[in-house]
Amino acid sequence: MPTKTLSYYNQNAQSFSDSTLNVDMSALYAEFLPLIPKHGHILDAGCGSARDAMYFKQQGFTVSAFDASENLAKLASDYLQHPVEVKTFQQLDCSNQYDGIWCCASLLHVPKNELPQVFVNLQNALKPNGVLYVSFKYGTQERVHNGREFTDLNEAGLTALITQHTEFKIIKQWQTVDQRPGRESEVWLNALIKAVPVL
């Protein structure tokens, strides 16, 4: 994660966590969780407050989580009552481990030129037929906003990344509006992506 963005999250960890903890994500859970085996292992990658990891845990899934921000990871560990690792997507280095990986509003801080390798890391970490959920702010540019760096993607941009660099298959892409009060004008790109077994 860019240093500027990491500093933002470390300095604003508590307020960021508080502002996201109670956002209703049920519509997104309803898309993702039916694709994960019962009691399957889900990685909440870039977990922030651990809001989603907590929900998955309550539904009986095995949950792992990490965040690049040391301060956010500490808050998330306390909330989840489970260790949350401090690491980046670039440091994700495992294979065939997860039934599902949840990247909710987290990959959008990865510089665009690093996304191909990050998607390969995610592909390696998933079991065959594992499912990846990702969300990006809708657009085509790299930009700085409120002290954080963003990579925006639309359907064509995400499709190009996936088809050119991975064995992934996109199951579904759709747009949603931000669920936080006062942010309804912000559009998100959501996608469900499957790890296709290599024959």
Side-chain angles (χ1 to χ4, degrees):
M1 182 185 288
T3 313
K4 185 186 294 185
T5 305
L6 196 52
S7 298
Y8 173 92
Y9 283 112
N10 278 328
Q11 287 164 15
N12 298 279
Q14 189 67 61
S15 60
F16 177 80
S17 182
D18 292 347
S19 71
T20 56
L21 207 49
N22 296 311
V23 178
D24 180 8
M25 305 298 284
S26 53
L28 296 177
Y29 300 152
E31 297 278 356
F32 175 70
L33 291 178
L35 304 173
I36 308 300
K38 192 175 179 182
H39 306 307
H41 192 176
I42 298 174
L43 172 65
D44 189 349
C47 67
S49 64
R51 168 198 63 211
D52 303 327
M54 176 62 93
Y55 182 82
F56 302 151
K57 185 178 171 182
Q58 289 167 343
Q59 304 310 304
F61 293 97
T62 301
V63 173
S64 297
F66 71 75
D67 199 276
S69 161
E70 189 176 345
N71 293 358
L72 266 178
K74 184 175 186 314
L75 291 172
S77 297
D78 293 344
Y79 177 64
L80 197 57
Q81 296 294 294
H82 181 90
V84 170
E85 283 189 90
V86 179
K87 70 176 173 187
T88 64
F89 285 102
Q90 291 86 340
Q91 293 167 323
L92 179 63
D93 182 23
C94 61
S95 61
N96 202 22
Q97 199 161 328
Y98 303 105
D99 298 291
I101 301 180
W102 178 263
C103 301
C104 183
S106 51
L107 283 170
L108 47 70
H109 294 310
V110 176
K112 195 166 189 178
N113 66 342
E114 295 178 26
L115 275 172
Q117 183 58 50
V118 163
F119 272 113
V120 170
N121 293 356
L122 291 164
Q123 176 181 278
N124 292 341
L126 277 169
K127 296 176 183 175
N129 294 311
V131 174
L132 170 68
Y133 166 78
V134 303
S135 60
F136 290 86
K137 299 216 179 196
Y138 198 85
T140 56
Q141 62 189 45
E142 291 187 86
R143 62 194 170 86
V144 176
H145 180 68
N146 286 349
R148 291 176 290 167
E149 291 158 80
F150 289 91
T151 299
D152 299 339
L153 285 180
N154 59 14
E155 292 89 349
L158 181 60
T159 300
L161 265 173
I162 296 300
T163 53
Q164 288 169 21
H165 301 286
T166 74
E167 304 297 326
F168 273 138
K169 180 169 187 245
I170 296 176
I171 306 170
K172 178 179 181 179
Q173 297 189 75
W174 72 105
Q175 294 175 29
T176 52
V177 295
D178 203 299
Q179 295 297 306
R180 289 168 290 181
R183 307 281 286 268
E184 295 83 2
S185 63
E186 294 183 25
V187 178
W188 290 81
L189 173 69
N190 305 269
L192 289 165
I193 303 167
K194 191 168 188 174
V196 181
V198 181
L199 301 176

